[in-house]
Amino acid sequence: MTVQSLRDASMEAQIQWSKQQYDRGYNEAAIIIRDQVRDELRAEVRDELRNEVRDEVCDEVRNEVRAEDCAQVMKLIETCRSENMSDTQTLQRIIDMMSSKEHMQSSSNGGCISADGK
């Protein structure tokens, strides 16, 4: 082997080593970035799902409360009819009952509020 061929072989070995180092560094960086993006997306998806579930549960609770309110109003109407109250008196009792409920609900911070303020 000549000196020139040794230099060429050495140069080729350095080039190959440099390429391997570059490829290794590039692959490691790509893995790190991919993992970071995956973590960010997982957090976003988790938040979206949490909000969707919260909205669905709030809708269910609203519907249950509405049904309960409706049942209470119907019971009050029946009571007022059995007491021979006028429509005006019955309406006033319904208003009083609903006002009392609104006051109780607004003073207890247990309502569902979704991200869009509903």
Side-chain angles (χ1 to χ4, degrees), residues 7 15 18 26 39 54 69 76 80-82 87 91:
R7 282 188 193 147
I15 291 171
S18 294
Y26 179 83
D39 291 345
R54 179 179 173 78
D69 288 348
L76 180 58
C80 291
R81 283 185 180 159
S82 70
D87 289 345
L91 182 58

Side-chain angles (χ1 to χ4, degrees), residues 22-34:
Y22 173 81
D23 289 344
R24 184 176 301 138
Y26 179 83
N27 290 337
E28 288 175 7
I31 290 169
I32 291 168
I33 291 170
R34 186 187 70 226

Side-chain angles (χ1 to χ4, degrees), residues 15-63:
I15 291 171
Q16 289 302 318
W17 182 84
S18 294
K19 284 182 181 178
Q20 289 172 349
Q21 294 302 319
Y22 173 81
D23 289 344
R24 184 176 301 138
Y26 179 83
N27 290 337
E28 288 175 7
I31 290 169
I32 291 168
I33 291 170
R34 186 187 70 226
D35 290 346
Q36 288 173 344
V37 169
R38 179 182 289 136
D39 291 345
E40 290 171 7
L41 288 174
R42 280 181 184 262
E44 287 177 24
V45 169
R46 191 175 295 123
D47 290 344
E48 289 173 8
L49 289 174
R50 185 176 291 123
N51 289 335
E52 287 176 20
V53 169
R54 179 179 173 78
D55 290 346
E56 289 174 12
V57 170
C58 283
D59 288 343
E60 290 173 12
V61 169
R62 274 190 205 98
N63 291 337

Side-chain angles (χ1 to χ4, degrees), residues 6-7 31 35 49 57 66 70 84 87 93 98 113-114 118:
L6 286 175
R7 282 188 193 147
I31 290 169
D35 290 346
L49 289 174
V57 170
R66 285 182 184 132
C70 183
N84 294 320
D87 289 345
R93 295 235 352 232
M98 297 308 281
I113 298 175
S114 65
K118 292 181 180 178

